[in-house]
Amino acid sequence: MEDTAAASLPARRPVVALLLYPGLTLLDLVAPYQALAQSMDVHLVWKDLEPVKDDIGVEMLPTTTFADCPEQLDLLLVPGGSGQVEVNGDDEVLEFVADRGARARYVASVCGGSLILGAAGLLRGYRAATHWIARELLAAYGAQNINERVVIDRNRITGGGVTAGLDLGLVVIAEMLGEEIAKITQLRLEYDPQPPFDTGSPEGAGARLTRLVRDDFQAFVGQLADVANTLPERGWGRAREAVRV
Amino acid sequence: MEDTAAASLPARRPVVALLLYPGLTLLDLVAPYQALAQSMDVHLVWKDLEPVKDDIGVEMLPTTTFADCPEQLDLLLVPGGSGQVEVNGDDEVLEFVADRGARARYVASVCGGSLILGAAGLLRGYRAATHWIARELLAAYGAQNINERVVIDRNRITGGGVTAGLDLGLVVIAEMLGEEIAKITQLRLEYDPQPPFDTGSPEGAGARLTRLVRDDFQAFVGQLADVANTLPERGWGRAREAVRV
């Protein structure tokens, strides 16, 4: 066989849906998108095809509606963002995530996207990662929080906050298409990170900076806890106990 | 003074323009966007406000036209992507980049965006970084290639390929707003990278994988060299010698 990058690709490109929603954190979505889209067919799905605004104010266009999204996905991936409060209050979105997630070969999330998977009942009994600010919330969905960058438990692959989407994207490719394609993708993206500081985790950042950021997120985490508490009566998430933050 | 994250911010948020163009690599743009937009006012600029498609097929909406873009920017940042061949053949875009770049407090690029800065004459006599696949092209613009993740030379800050936009975004924040804000931003983005492989650079990936990716990019690099050779007669870039790849 000829030794080319293309020679390592499967005959059929995997079919992927990335959930787009108002108030998502754009990098949660675009980091894995950039890795996955080199060797997979990627749909950006939302209720309709109108522009969707991220949590700062930039708009992207969905490519596919919930109704037109392939039923049998190789991968469903859900990003986080401040809009996840509204998403977890929206039965139409949770029904889409629960339906496609239950059938998908792999189900993944970046950052607070794991709370959306959890609300849709997809993380009950699974180990999972999320943004460090939201770790305590995972238990409400019957998931066990693991403080790792990327957590694989059977066919659920969940990542930590925002930039973890890059590591996760490459891990997903390695799982689905093998290490050769993942390694080539990493080289194409020149993913040889050199963070200027050691403050990317609470452990590295230390108590003072961690408290500053935690204070900034406090109201948001409270909103996430509030919406989590509405899920059982709405038939979602199977919260085992009320969430108090 | 109260010890909050907001207390470290300047009274006036810096004004930033990120160049959007058809065929850009989306992560080149979104990685620094996500870091910068937390403490700066970010415009996504293009000729008009119609959706702009990236080099895979996803569309984003510009927020600001060239005509409406503030004249005096604190930062102009240019991403790379396969569309840079067309951009470097488009005098209207180069005129915008040259004009705003000459006045901006800082001028930055990610990946092949440095070749656009170079074409607009903004890197003559500067040290600069670019995607590893394009390193040999920088000399055509009078720039000296430096094989580093992020290169700062006076007010020019240039990054390596694609994912270098994250490191660059944080370095830019540290330069413009100080290390406290950059460190907080890194914690918010949980930028504590754990790449699954050591293949993010040619040195790490080794000769075989590097050759595979170089082969994939060969035609593209040839197109970049071709358009670089048209610049002198069009009055741009001041190429010192013909580019042969």
Side-chain angles (χ1 to χ4, degrees):
Chain A
M1 190 185 234
E2 202 184 356
D3 188 22
T4 67
S8 306
L9 287 170
R12 187 183 72 82
R13 286 165 68 94
V15 177
V16 178
L18 307 185
L19 184 71
L20 211 59
Y21 59 86
L24 90 165
T25 295
L26 202 54
L27 187 56
D28 287 15
L29 181 91
V30 172
Y33 158 79
Q34 196 72 57
L36 299 170
Q38 300 191 20
S39 48
M40 306 189 189
D41 289 337
V42 175
H43 299 266
L44 302 188
V45 295
W46 179 236
K47 295 177 182 180
D48 53 46
L49 299 179
E50 295 298 306
V52 169
K53 196 174 279 190
D54 81 345
D55 56 7
I56 296 173
V58 163
E59 293 177 292
M60 278 183 88
L61 292 175
T63 62
T64 308
T65 63
F66 287 175
D68 289 336
C69 181
E71 293 192 349
Q72 184 58 54
L73 295 166
D74 292 297
L75 171 67
L76 171 70
L77 187 148
V78 177
S82 63
Q84 68 188 272
V85 174
E86 285 71 35
V87 160
N88 278 356
D90 186 331
D91 290 343
E92 181 185 352
V93 183
L94 294 186
E95 274 161 24
F96 172 80
V97 171
D99 176 78
R100 294 306 194 279
R103 311 172 194 225
R105 220 157 45 95
Y106 290 91
V107 176
S109 64
V110 175
C111 198
S114 55
L115 304 184
I116 297 175
L117 296 183
L122 292 168
L123 291 182
R124 260 197 315 285
Y126 285 84
R127 287 173 287 120
T130 192
H131 193 291
W132 64 267
I133 208 81
R135 287 173 184 165
E136 293 161 23
L137 294 171
L138 272 173
Y141 307 108
Q144 181 190 353
N145 173 239
I146 306 288
N147 291 354
E148 288 177 8
R149 189 77 173 160
V150 180
V151 173
I152 305 181
D153 185 356
R154 287 156 282 174
N155 77 334
R156 310 294 203 250
I157 306 178
T158 51
V162 196
T163 55
L166 268 170
D167 304 312
L168 177 131
L170 295 169
V171 167
V172 165
I173 293 171
E175 275 284 310
M176 294 178 67
L177 298 177
E179 290 198 356
E180 173 91 348
I181 298 295
K183 287 177 175 175
I184 287 171
T185 303
Q186 188 172 337
L187 180 57
R188 291 175 65 106
L189 299 178
E190 204 170 335
Y191 186 43
D192 181 25
Q194 293 172 34
F197 308 106
D198 185 30
T199 60
S201 68
E203 296 71 27
R208 189 181 68 83
L209 292 184
T210 299
R211 186 182 55 71
L212 291 184
V213 174
R214 203 181 281 283
D215 287 351
D216 271 358
F217 278 111
Q218 192 175 15
F220 173 55
V221 172
Q223 291 171 340
L224 288 172
D226 287 346
V227 75
N229 287 329
T230 71
L231 289 164
E233 67 198 42
R234 289 163 49 218
W236 292 107
R238 318 284 170 89
R240 297 182 303 186
E241 51 186 321
V243 180
R244 291 183 196 84
V245 180
Chain B
M1 191 183 229
E2 202 183 356
D3 187 23
T4 66
S8 305
L9 288 170
R12 186 182 72 82
R13 286 166 68 95
V15 177
V16 178
L18 307 185
L19 183 71
L20 211 58
Y21 58 86
L24 90 165
T25 295
L26 201 55
L27 187 56
D28 287 16
L29 181 91
V30 172
Y33 158 79
Q34 196 72 57
L36 299 170
Q38 300 191 19
S39 49
M40 306 189 188
D41 289 337
V42 174
H43 299 266
L44 301 189
V45 296
W46 179 236
K47 294 177 182 181
D48 53 46
L49 298 179
E50 295 299 307
V52 169
K53 197 173 278 191
D54 81 345
D55 57 7
I56 296 173
V58 164
E59 293 176 293
M60 279 183 88
L61 293 175
T63 63
T64 308
T65 64
F66 287 175
D68 289 337
C69 180
E71 294 191 350
Q72 183 59 55
L73 296 166
D74 293 297
L75 171 67
L76 171 70
L77 187 148
V78 177
S82 63
Q84 67 189 274
V85 174
E86 285 71 36
V87 160
N88 277 357
D90 186 330
D91 290 343
E92 182 184 352
V93 182
L94 294 186
E95 274 161 22
F96 173 79
V97 171
D99 175 80
R100 295 306 193 281
R103 310 172 195 223
R105 226 161 35 99
Y106 290 92
V107 176
S109 64
V110 176
C111 197
S114 54
L115 303 184
I116 297 175
L117 295 184
L122 292 167
L123 291 183
R124 262 196 314 284
Y126 285 84
R127 288 173 289 120
T130 191
H131 193 291
W132 63 267
I133 207 82
R135 286 173 185 164
E136 293 161 23
L137 294 171
L138 272 173
Y141 307 107
Q144 180 191 353
N145 173 240
I146 307 287
N147 291 354
E148 288 175 8
R149 189 78 173 158
V150 180
V151 173
I152 305 182
D153 185 355
R154 286 156 284 175
N155 77 335
R156 310 295 203 249
I157 307 178
T158 52
V162 196
T163 54
L166 268 170
D167 304 311
L168 178 132
L170 294 169
V171 167
V172 165
I173 293 171
E175 276 284 310
M176 294 178 67
L177 297 177
E179 291 199 355
E180 173 90 348
I181 297 296
K183 287 177 174 175
I184 288 170
T185 303
Q186 188 173 335
L187 180 56
R188 291 176 65 107
L189 300 179
E190 203 169 337
Y191 186 42
D192 181 23
Q194 294 172 34
F197 308 106
D198 187 29
T199 59
S201 68
E203 296 71 26
R208 189 181 68 84
L209 291 184
T210 300
R211 185 183 55 72
L212 292 184
V213 175
R214 203 182 282 284
D215 286 351
D216 271 358
F217 277 111
Q218 191 175 15
F220 173 56
V221 172
Q223 291 171 339
L224 288 172
D226 287 346
V227 74
N229 287 330
T230 71
L231 289 164
E233 69 199 41
R234 290 163 48 217
W236 292 107
R238 317 286 169 88
R240 297 182 303 187
E241 51 185 322
V243 180
R244 290 183 197 83
V245 180

